[in-house]
Amino acid sequence: MAMGFYQYKAMDADGRIQTGRTDAGNIADLEMRLQKMGLDLINCKQIRTMAGVFAGGVGRRDLILFCFHLEQTAKAGVPILDSLVDLRDSTENRRLREVVSAMIESIEGGRTLSQSMQDFPAVFSTLFASLIHAGEQSGQLGIVLGKLADNLKFQDEQAAMTRRLLAYPLFVSMVLVGMVFFLMTYLVPALLGFVTTMGHELPLHTRALIATSDVFVNYWWALLLIPAGSTAGLMILTRISPAVSLAIDRSKLRMPLLGPVLKKIILARLAEFFAMMYSSGITVLDCIHTGEQIAGNKAVAAAMYEVGQQIADGRSLSEGFESTGLFPPLVMRMIKIGEATGKLESSLDNVSYFYTRDIRESLARLQAIIEPAMTIMLGVLIGWVMLSVLGPVYDIISTIRV
């Protein structure tokens, strides 16, 4: 039976109206599915476009709950179908409930858990479904779910750390830009109006301030449009030109202060996923191929592709990584130790642990540097304005006194 997606309006046992989206073979099938959820169909509309139907509303923390629930019930020996039914009935997220309901119907139709996940690529990535499939094949589904939950928590912590790092600089930058526009377009012209009419020769820093103010007054629109246009043009170039995209991603890794932290974040994620996939029984070449997809940086993805080519040609994993020249000595040393001892998973876990700890310390140091740096920039700007305005005024007053 060909499946389609429907947007429905239904009523629960208490008479409350519920709306949502789910998949079904036809309207009769939709009614049966809703009845199992304790809902009576009022009306529905078929959605032609399946892509992205479940993209919104299911976040990382919902997936953590999903993995944790299935992990605990799997360890307790609860069948996966019963576990999903319990999750559907207990979750408060409507979107997740719809996805789980559709998965239950799919599994009741004879499909596996990983196969049912493939119907919702916007919720479960290809990597996620592949790991679940590996867990099903190896009989270690509970362990894989636990590792997925830990990895999602790790990603959530990284995102929270990054938000904390960027929140203050972004706020101060917005205040700084707003203050610059206010000073240059309103306050400075008003203050310097008196100074320029006195006819005295102005110092260089005052003339520079007047010229800067004139640029802001006369070309404020260009100052706003040029950065926005440049950013948009660069984004378009990165999409249409792989060479430009690769060059930009390489430059990101070479940025002062932020570049090393970004590289550590990428390497920690790669090591974490590699260890998880390898321990789940996925081959090294497949792990490398997946690493290309999750790197999030074209330069690192190109290096992973090169590693895969080296391994396919018969070289060892450590030799393949070493040939790229991109990975630091710590990664190389850990991979060599893992290959020599047959404990590659443990070595990669150590790499992930080390970099995760180092990332936290690096982000804390960056935040400690950025905050005073932004404050100093703001102080220098205000000091320049005050000196450029009050200096000539003081000179004029001194002349009048004489």
Side-chain angles (χ1 to χ4, degrees):
M1 180 171 56
M3 303 296 285
F5 283 97
Y6 290 83
Q7 183 172 328
Y8 64 83
K9 180 187 289 186
M11 182 184 296
D12 62 15
D14 297 325
R16 291 191 296 265
I17 300 298
Q18 302 282 344
T19 60
R21 295 173 178 177
T22 189
D23 64 337
N26 49 45
I27 296 178
D29 185 35
L30 175 64
E31 286 185 293
M32 291 178 57
R33 291 170 184 250
L34 292 177
Q35 285 175 2
K36 291 181 179 180
M37 297 168 61
L39 300 173
D40 292 322
L41 178 65
I42 297 174
N43 57 53
C44 64
K45 179 177 68 174
Q46 186 168 5
I47 303 170
R48 294 182 181 179
T49 304
M50 298 183 185
V53 169
F54 293 102
V58 181
R60 187 183 292 117
R61 297 196 176 184
D62 295 315
L63 288 179
I64 293 173
L65 171 65
F66 177 90
C67 292
F68 180 75
H69 178 88
L70 293 188
E71 176 202 5
Q72 296 303 311
T73 52
K75 288 181 178 178
V78 178
I80 193 67
L81 199 56
D82 294 341
S83 179
L84 287 172
V85 170
D86 292 340
L87 179 61
R88 180 197 64 191
D89 295 340
S90 62
T91 183
E92 297 179 359
N93 187 306
R94 187 184 66 185
R95 293 296 188 204
L96 181 60
R97 185 165 60 249
E98 292 168 357
V99 171
V100 173
S101 298
M103 290 173 63
I104 291 171
E105 298 291 337
S106 182
I107 292 172
E108 286 177 341
R111 304 179 73 192
T112 64
L113 177 63
S114 58
Q115 288 171 340
S116 68
M117 288 179 174
Q118 293 171 6
D119 292 334
F120 309 101
V123 178
F124 305 105
S125 65
T126 303
L127 172 61
F128 196 106
S130 298
L131 287 168
I132 294 296
H133 176 69
E136 290 172 330
Q137 295 295 313
S138 63
Q140 298 180 332
L141 183 59
I143 296 174
V144 171
L145 285 164
K147 290 182 178 180
L148 277 169
D150 291 340
N151 184 264
L152 289 167
K153 290 177 185 176
F154 167 69
Q155 292 181 44
D156 200 52
E157 289 174 2
Q158 278 193 329
M161 285 190 294
T162 305
R163 285 194 297 269
R164 286 197 300 270
L165 173 69
L166 296 177
Y168 180 80
L170 286 175
F171 173 75
V172 175
S173 297
M174 291 173 63
V175 172
L176 187 61
V177 170
M179 183 171 289
V180 167
F181 269 87
F182 171 74
L183 289 174
M184 295 302 173
T185 59
Y186 177 76
L187 188 60
V188 169
L191 291 175
L192 289 177
F194 168 73
V195 175
T196 54
T197 57
M198 295 301 295
H200 288 262
E201 185 178 354
L202 300 176
L204 178 61
H205 56 81
T206 302
R207 295 199 300 272
L209 181 62
I210 293 172
T212 304
S213 177
D214 288 341
V215 171
F216 273 84
V217 170
N218 297 318
Y219 302 103
W220 59 269
W221 51 270
L223 295 174
L224 294 176
L225 288 178
I226 289 174
S230 300
T231 303
L234 200 58
M235 290 175 64
I236 293 171
L237 272 177
T238 56
R239 290 183 179 180
I240 64 177
S241 174
V244 172
S245 180
L246 179 61
I248 290 174
D249 280 354
R250 278 178 178 163
S251 65
K252 288 178 183 177
L253 299 178
R254 295 170 184 166
M255 285 190 303
L257 297 179
L258 291 176
V261 177
L262 176 62
K263 190 172 183 179
K264 290 172 185 175
I265 290 174
I266 294 172
L267 292 177
R269 181 167 65 242
L270 285 175
E272 178 80 10
F273 273 110
F274 200 115
M276 184 166 50
M277 289 184 289
Y278 186 74
S279 64
S280 301
I282 297 175
T283 65
V284 170
L285 277 175
D286 287 339
C287 292
I288 295 293
H289 178 65
T290 305
E292 292 178 48
Q293 299 173 339
I294 66 172
N297 184 284
K298 295 290 176 59
V300 178
M304 294 297 291
Y305 175 79
E306 187 178 339
V307 172
Q309 293 295 106
Q310 296 284 341
I311 295 173
D313 290 339
R315 303 183 70 180
S316 66
L317 184 64
S318 58
E319 289 174 338
F321 274 94
E322 192 169 7
S323 66
T324 65
L326 183 66
F327 300 95
L330 173 68
V331 175
M332 303 309 310
R333 190 177 305 114
M334 287 297 182
I335 291 175
K336 288 178 180 178
I337 291 173
E339 285 181 321
T341 60
K343 297 180 179 179
L344 184 60
E345 176 193 351
S346 300
S347 296
L348 290 171
D349 280 333
N350 289 335
V351 171
S352 177
Y353 171 77
F354 174 82
Y355 277 127
T356 302
R357 182 174 177 178
D358 195 26
I359 288 165
R360 291 194 181 99
E361 295 175 356
S362 299
L363 289 177
R365 287 195 298 268
L366 271 177
Q367 195 163 8
I369 293 171
I370 288 173
E371 291 181 8
M374 300 294 285
T375 305
I376 290 171
M377 288 176 60
L378 190 59
V380 169
L381 174 65
I382 295 175
W384 177 35
V385 172
M386 298 299 293
L387 178 64
S388 300
V389 173
L390 296 181
V393 171
Y394 177 78
D395 293 340
I396 291 169
I397 292 173
S398 300
T399 304
I400 293 172
R401 286 179 178 177
V402 173

